Amino acid sequence: MNKIVVLTGAGISAQSGLGTFRDAGGLWAEDAIEDVATPEGFTRDPALVHRFYNARRAQAAQAQPNAAHAALAQLEAEYPGDVLIVTQNVDNLHERAGSRNVIHMHGELAKALCHACGHRWGAPLVMHPTDACPVCQAPAVRPDVVWFGEVPYGMDMIDPALSNADVFVSIGTSGQVYPAAAYAQHSRRLGAHTIELNLEPSANSRDFAEAHYGPATDVVPNWVARMLDCT
Ligand code: APR
């Protein structure tokens, strides 16, 4: 039985209207990473960080899954093997397209975390630094998103999945942030067939045995159709 691991990045949600990070005019052109995506930035100005994620949460709530998200959900439903999505994205478009087997290694906009007691709950659309944790009441709420310098989620599940993968597919990521940027090389070394589906060659395009370039809403449904044809 074939095991497929799919890594997704901001590029898969670009055609749903959600900004990517490093393309021209991307999120990191608007706000500095150190101000809005590090624990130090949050300590320095929690209101700025909450405003940044409140805006992204509102955009994500308005966005709709696109044909690439839908194709991956169809693959999970119809492929006679395991399909795991490891996403760097914090939106929930994979789930809203119908995918069930999803690991959010950088957290989720839809979740809040109390950095005093560790409690997690469904994030309200708008969060403020003065919001109290529903469990310990401390004014210590933050987005449940993994910032630079923090440990990504799900590594204990991701690493074994990469080791056992027959196919590793990377979609819509620039291959510049670790550990995700090393996944193709890691899985290839352990025998997986590696495929890059992206608008253009990523920083680690040489790690892939196969590549198809173009908008995700073209290249992902085409790839899924080929995978389902040969089952
Ligand atoms: N279809 C397919 N690929 C696209 C599309 C599209 N319509 N639009 C853009 N892309 C590609 C770009 O070519 C680029 O390679 O998506 C990639 C987006 O790269 P980044 O903006 O760097 O986003 P990502 O790789 O997901 O960033 C990884 O960095 O800042 C952190 O935590 C953040 O999860 C994020 C991580």
Side-chain angles (χ1 to χ4, degrees):
M1 196 75 92
N2 267 359
K3 296 180 186 301
I4 302 176
V5 175
V6 182
L7 171 70
T8 62
I12 200 171
S13 298
Q15 291 165 274
S16 295
L18 298 184
T20 61
F21 293 95
R22 296 171 180 84
D23 292 320
L27 287 166
W28 297 148
E30 304 291 318
D31 288 281
I33 286 177
E34 58 273 12
D35 292 339
V36 295
T38 62
E40 297 77 14
F42 183 68
T43 304
R44 200 167 44 245
D45 189 347
L48 170 67
V49 173
H50 275 300
R51 280 199 300 277
F52 176 73
Y53 287 97
N54 290 342
R56 292 184 64 198
R57 202 172 289 115
Q59 284 167 354
Q62 298 298 318
Q64 296 301 321
N66 63 50
H69 298 105
L72 292 180
Q74 181 193 7
L75 183 70
E76 179 182 324
E78 297 177 14
Y79 186 69
D82 298 332
V83 176
L84 169 66
I85 294 177
V86 177
T87 187
Q88 301 172 92
N89 299 340
V90 291
D91 64 61
N92 61 358
L93 295 179
H94 283 303
E95 291 86 347
R96 286 170 54 199
S99 290
R100 296 281 166 271
N101 203 9
V102 182
I103 297 175
H104 283 270
M105 65 182 293
H106 290 167
E108 297 176 71
L109 281 173
K111 291 189 179 159
L113 170 65
C114 172
H115 61 81
C117 74
H119 176 58
R120 279 187 173 82
W121 69 100
L125 204 54
V126 180
M127 294 175 73
H128 306 95
T130 50
D131 292 351
C133 167
V135 168
C136 75
Q137 308 312 319
V141 303
R142 59 170 277 182
D144 189 17
V145 169
V146 178
W147 287 327
F148 285 91
E150 298 183 323
V151 178
Y153 293 158
M155 307 289 279
D156 55 332
M157 294 182 287
I158 296 170
D159 289 346
L162 290 171
S163 303
N164 297 322
D166 301 294
V167 180
F168 174 80
V169 191
S170 179
I171 302 172
T173 181
S174 63
Q176 297 186 53
V177 175
Y178 288 81
Y183 287 172
Q185 198 178 56
H186 177 74
S187 61
R188 186 173 190 177
R189 192 179 306 126
L190 294 167
H193 176 62
T194 52
I195 305 171
E196 179 165 70
L197 304 177
N198 206 52
L199 193 61
E200 60 203 3
S202 68
N204 56 356
S205 58
R206 67 193 171 291
D207 294 343
F208 295 91
E210 179 184 345
H212 303 277
Y213 296 119
T217 53
D218 292 344
V219 295
V220 177
N222 290 344
W223 170 72
V224 167
R226 288 196 301 277
M227 287 302 286
L228 294 178
D229 276 351
C230 57
T231 57

